[in-house]
Amino acid sequence: MPDDFNRFATPGLGWSDVGDALSRMAATVADHHHGSPLPCGTPGDMLGAVAAELGPQCLPDNGIGEDRALAQVAELVAAYGLDLTHRLTAAHLQPPPLTVSVAADALASATNASLDTYDSGPATLAIEKWTIAALARLAGFGPSAGGVFGPGGSFSNLLAMLIARDHAAAKLRLDTRHHGVAALPRPLVFCSRVAHFSINRACATLGLGEAAVVAVDVDEQHRMIPAALQAALASTDGTPVAIVATAGTTDFGTVDPLPEIADIAARHDVWLHVDGAYGFGSLFSDRLRHLVHGIDRADSVTLDLHKIGWQPAAASLLLLRDEELFSALERNVAYLNPEDDEEAGFGGLLGHTLQTTRRPDVLKVLATFLAYGRTGIGEMLDACHSAARYAQARIVAEPQLELVAPVTLTTVVFRYRCQDLDTVNAELRRRLISSGTALIGRTRVHIAGDEAPSTCLKLTLLNPTSTGLDIDELFDELLRHALEVESENTEYAIAEVQVHE
Ligand SMILES: Cc1ncc(COP(=O)(O)O)c(C=O)c1O
């Protein structure tokens, strides 16, 4: 029989020669880099330019070879992409990743191991178990804790709500796995008004409906008011499925009062989930760890090391105080983890999540912890916190700027004072982006004394190498562009009035 297995060009596989390919790609990125946080121009320009370089939208019949393909992709990303390492990039909870984690992430891709069964990657399975145990210990959990890595904070929150839902059902002797959620009488999830929207989405996805979310009032620092939570629980005739406390709100970094909320959860016998996607990282810092005091009383915790942790996305983790409670997700599948294989020790973490094939995101996390230790990561957070406090001081010193909330972690929310607040602040951010000057964030806040919420600007400072000079340059540019935008807006408003007269 003819051997026609290898009639095609032999492809490179796995780790072979990847070092050279990576070096060449890094050089290409450096050569073609636009030098700004985002490239200058409009989104339409960029999308058009990339599409034009790729040509007609159909897969090529013939390849151009590995070297040219990698060079082309690297050129596109360098010329039209985002630079998180730029000194004036400060928009989202999206840090510049550490080089050590980028390199270890390449190892994860090269091995292509998975976490579902022992035979899909024994080393990565052992490393994930070790790392989860170490992070659970940092959270203050005991030896019965467990966890699972996943593709983001939204997903970890979804898993937490699923486990809480089935825990609530089990208390009523209902089994959602077979009967769905219809049998659960008016399920409710209590979280603050500024909790992350992934909680609402999780409730929708899990069949509880977004109407299940009870939005509890917050104080002037955007933290859940325990008395309001208590009142909401006391007055409900529904089934409380979970209380979600946020440790590190997306906009303000504030932390709900965890000890008081834990007391209430215990009194009402309700699952307590702490969404620490942003704030869990405080535990790395000797200066900031006090912020999340009480987190060890949660039943489940979400933490995102692709936020505070300087990992490439994703490196999210759901921790459970009692690993047994992953049982809601447990499955035995004939082709993966039949019971006798599991009993013989060949099981993996398939039963801890909704994913089957699962990337070993943990490799970059372990490499980072080994390289820098807890205190090294904590010092990176401290540096970003100091940068945020420096920015806060600059805002307070500028008459044209108004600080919206004091700094807790690494975000600073403020607005440019002017007549047409919403239009000017929103346009200012877009102007900074499209001029290639800076990348900052925006949000909407109801500021005390205002009739309605208004558009505010936000810095999310996650570059641990940022200096005071960088922050000053950012504000100098921002104020310069703000004057331009404001005067154009005023001219436009005058012209509009004249047209209508
Ligand atoms: C508090 C909080 N929870 C959850 C998430 C969702 O995380 P991810 O974007 O990784 O899904 C975010 C994202 O910013 C967040 O700020």
Side-chain angles (χ1 to χ4, degrees):
M1 211 165 118
D3 169 5
D4 62 354
F5 295 168
N6 292 321
R7 77 197 138 104
F8 311 108
T10 313
L13 294 180
W15 203 233
S16 66
D17 295 334
V18 84
D20 287 347
L22 287 175
S23 309
R24 280 196 300 276
M25 258 202 299
T28 307
V29 168
D31 285 348
H32 291 79
H33 188 251
H34 49 61
S36 318
L38 283 177
C40 297
T42 65
D45 296 339
M46 296 315 130
L47 299 176
V50 174
E53 294 212 18
L54 288 173
Q57 291 173 326
C58 75
L59 297 181
D61 281 337
N62 299 303
I64 53 176
E66 294 171 359
D67 291 348
R68 285 179 59 204
L70 289 174
Q72 191 180 358
V73 175
E75 276 175 38
L76 288 175
V77 171
Y80 305 108
L82 159 75
D83 182 5
L84 289 167
T85 65
H86 192 279
R87 294 170 306 111
L88 304 193
T89 298
H92 300 292
L93 282 166
Q94 189 183 16
L98 295 167
T99 307
V100 65
S101 62
V102 173
D105 213 20
L107 175 63
S109 293
T111 65
N112 202 23
S114 181
L115 274 312
D116 38 346
T117 59
Y118 168 82
D119 57 343
S120 53
T124 47
L125 186 61
I127 290 172
E128 177 151 316
K129 287 184 172 191
W130 185 92
T131 310
I132 287 168
L135 285 164
R137 190 181 180 139
L138 183 70
F141 286 165
S144 54
V148 67
F149 273 83
S154 305
F155 186 82
S156 296
N157 282 342
L158 171 71
L159 280 189
M161 291 304 100
L162 188 157
I163 293 165
R165 178 197 72 183
D166 288 1
H167 185 65
K171 281 197 287 181
L172 299 175
R173 297 184 190 288
L174 299 168
D175 182 350
T176 55
R177 200 187 292 193
H178 294 295
H179 305 297
V181 288
L184 204 55
R186 222 166 84 75
L188 297 171
V189 169
F190 298 78
C191 62
S192 96
R193 264 199 298 110
V194 295
H196 194 258
F197 70 94
S198 55
I199 299 298
N200 294 54
R201 277 186 154 183
C203 289
T205 309
L206 295 170
L208 307 177
E210 290 202 36
V213 176
V214 179
V216 179
D217 269 346
V218 293
D219 62 17
E220 68 290 345
Q221 287 186 49
H222 311 278
R223 296 174 310 187
M224 186 192 280
I225 301 171
L229 171 66
Q230 170 63 38
L233 276 160
S235 63
T236 184
D237 57 354
T239 309
V241 164
I243 297 168
V244 179
T246 309
T249 54
T250 314
D251 284 341
F252 306 102
T254 45
V255 179
D256 289 340
L258 301 180
E260 288 92 326
I261 293 173
D263 286 345
I264 295 171
R267 218 163 32 243
H268 290 264
D269 188 24
V270 181
W271 186 278
L272 174 59
H273 175 62
V274 173
D275 178 1
Y278 179 20
F280 180 92
S282 312
L283 285 169
F284 302 130
S285 154
D286 293 333
R287 191 203 290 179
L288 296 171
R289 58 180 306 125
H290 67 93
L291 289 173
V292 293
H293 171 68
I295 199 167
D296 56 318
R297 296 182 60 194
D299 293 294
S300 55
V301 175
T302 289
L303 65 114
D304 281 0
L305 298 165
H306 57 278
K307 295 185 173 55
I308 303 298
W310 291 273
Q311 300 300 300
S316 183
L317 187 54
L318 176 70
L319 291 176
L320 289 197
R321 189 143 53 94
D322 179 1
E323 187 167 23
E324 289 289 306
L325 290 164
F326 275 112
S327 56
L329 290 154
E330 198 56 66
R331 290 290 184 283
N332 284 102
V333 184
Y335 81 97
L336 283 174
N337 63 341
E339 269 126 353
D340 58 323
D341 263 8
E342 287 219 321
E343 277 158 23
F346 285 78
L349 288 167
L350 176 75
H352 278 32
T353 185
L354 292 169
Q355 295 173 271
T356 305
T357 303
R358 190 159 57 81
R359 203 170 182 277
D361 288 319
V362 70
L363 296 191
K364 61 197 175 198
V365 171
L366 179 70
T368 302
F369 283 126
L370 294 180
Y372 290 97
R374 174 187 66 78
T375 53
I377 305 289
E379 283 162 11
M380 291 179 209
L381 175 59
D382 292 348
C384 296
H385 179 243
S386 297
R389 290 178 63 87
Y390 186 91
Q392 167 173 270
R394 174 76 195 257
I395 293 163
V396 170
E398 285 295 343
Q400 276 305 113
L401 300 179
E402 177 186 356
L403 183 73
V404 168
V407 165
T408 301
L409 283 172
T410 70
T411 58
V412 200
V413 182
F414 62 104
R415 62 184 176 180
Y416 180 74
R417 292 182 208 267
C418 55
Q419 199 67 38
D420 197 350
L421 280 168
D422 281 353
T423 311
V424 171
N425 279 282
E427 176 55 24
L428 170 56
R429 186 183 97 97
R430 288 191 290 268
R431 187 70 59 90
L432 289 170
I433 293 173
S434 50
S435 62
T437 310
L439 174 56
I440 66 171
R442 65 181 278 183
T443 188
R444 228 170 143 68
V445 185
H446 196 164
I447 297 171
D450 285 2
E451 267 175 29
S454 69
T455 299
C456 294
L457 301 174
K458 177 168 75 160
L459 303 184
T460 303
L461 294 159
L462 288 180
N463 187 335
T465 66
S466 267
T467 64
L469 285 178
D470 299 331
I471 309 272
D472 279 330
E473 185 185 336
L474 199 158
F475 280 107
D476 293 345
E477 290 292 344
L478 183 142
L479 289 165
R480 188 168 69 77
H481 282 80
L483 273 181
E484 263 173 41
V485 171
E486 191 181 8
S487 70
E488 284 167 22
N489 190 56
T490 315
E491 279 165 26
Y492 177 77
I494 293 170
E496 281 278 282
V497 171
Q498 284 168 349
V499 166
H500 289 99
E501 271 173 4

